[in-house]
Amino acid sequence: MDKNLYLLDGTNLLYRAFFAVRMLNSPSGQPTNAVYGLATMLMKLIEDYKPDGIAVAFDKGRKTFRNQIYADYKGTRQETPVELREQFEMAKELIRAFGIPLLESDDYEADDIIGTLAHRSLENNWKARIISGDKDLLQLIDENVLMLLVRKGMTDLEAIDIPTFEEMYGVSPSVFVDVKALMGDSSDNIPGVPGVGEKTALKLIQEYGTLQGVYDHIDEISGKKLKENLVT
């Protein structure tokens, strides 16, 4: 029987918890709301899903190998609120107290660690279950990988597999990266094709299959401005 490995995006979940849970403080005045929200999720996860294995990944620093490729990567991100920043070490202590492996690596993001473990889990007949509110991770979904997308608060999880994803977007998860390449990602300060949002990007990939397919059929694309933006 396949075992299930739950991979949690610790950085994303702690941010979500900070804004989802009202401000709480310890007797000494230490902010604790994000840690409380994360603890609530962990306990519900263990009780409801009874995972065979769990690991939590964190971003280790603000700079990664992506900044070497594109210096302005995440350049528009606001500073982490002090009240949240003060809770990261406490959150990591909490995870260790649960006996859960905590993973972080220089030059890499939590997403990279999760993607690597999700890919490798199949080698040991494990099914990967990713928990995050970050839709970028949807591109990892395959026959072996399911995502539990955090929709509301900290405990409302929507299970998304290949059929669910295809119903939502009209393309397969494997080409979601091509959609993102066309539309860009404002939250990460990654530019896309000017004037191309999610709707247009999805339409192009639905029609031509891949990003390469779009450019292989560039002369067939209607809309003078769209074509100009694609080739500029």
Side-chain angles (χ1 to χ4, degrees):
M1 180 182 296
D2 291 327
K3 294 183 178 181
N4 292 319
L5 173 62
Y6 285 76
L7 302 169
L8 279 63
D9 183 352
T11 303
N12 177 271
L13 295 176
L14 202 61
Y15 266 85
R16 289 188 65 88
F18 179 75
F19 292 103
V21 179
R22 65 181 178 84
M23 185 56 68
L24 301 170
N25 296 281
S26 70
S28 65
Q30 168 77 37
T32 59
N33 65 320
V35 176
Y36 174 81
L38 183 61
T40 300
M41 165 173 271
L42 285 171
M43 289 188 290
K44 185 170 178 59
L45 172 67
I46 293 168
E47 180 180 354
D48 291 355
Y49 292 89
K50 297 177 175 54
D52 298 296
I54 310 178
V56 182
F58 276 91
D59 299 340
K60 192 170 185 179
R62 291 184 63 88
K63 300 292 185 180
T64 70
F65 72 93
R66 290 177 177 84
N67 295 97
Q68 299 173 23
I69 300 170
Y70 178 55
D72 292 329
Y73 177 64
K74 292 189 175 180
T76 56
R77 286 282 178 96
Q78 296 182 347
E79 287 292 323
T80 303
V82 174
E83 296 85 357
L84 171 57
R85 195 160 61 238
E86 293 176 355
Q87 297 186 59
F88 269 88
E89 284 307 315
M90 189 187 305
K92 292 176 182 180
E93 290 179 18
L94 170 76
I95 292 164
R96 294 187 186 102
F98 269 89
I100 297 172
L102 188 152
L103 308 171
E104 53 187 1
S105 178
D106 292 329
D107 296 327
Y108 293 94
E109 298 180 16
D111 293 10
D112 302 311
I113 297 171
I114 289 171
T116 300
L117 291 178
H119 179 72
R120 290 183 176 177
S121 62
L122 180 59
E123 298 172 5
N124 298 302
N125 296 319
W126 286 67
K127 296 286 188 181
R129 304 290 182 253
I130 298 170
I131 300 181
S132 177
D134 185 356
K135 291 184 178 180
D136 286 352
L137 289 166
L138 290 170
Q139 64 189 280
L140 296 175
I141 294 172
D142 60 24
E143 294 81 0
N144 183 58
V145 180
L146 177 144
M147 184 162 179
L148 295 169
L149 185 66
V150 185
R151 283 296 194 186
K152 188 187 302 181
M154 290 300 293
T155 56
D156 182 7
L157 307 179
E158 179 183 4
I160 303 178
D161 55 11
I162 293 176
T164 304
F165 182 93
E166 291 177 344
E167 184 177 348
M168 291 169 61
Y169 292 102
V171 299
S172 69
S174 63
V175 296
F176 194 51
V177 65
D178 291 1
V179 174
K180 299 289 283 188
L182 286 167
M183 63 182 283
D185 190 335
S186 59
S187 66
D188 287 339
N189 197 36
I190 298 176
V193 176
V196 174
E198 182 178 86
K199 183 178 179 180
T200 300
L202 285 170
K203 181 179 178 181
L204 288 169
I205 299 302
Q206 287 165 3
E207 187 166 356
Y208 299 108
T210 64
L211 182 62
Q212 185 61 53
V214 172
Y215 284 94
D216 286 344
H217 297 84
I218 193 69
D219 292 334
E220 301 172 17
I221 293 175
S222 60
K224 181 179 178 181
K225 189 62 177 178
L226 174 58
K227 186 184 295 185
E228 287 179 358
N229 288 338
L230 283 167
V231 299
T232 300

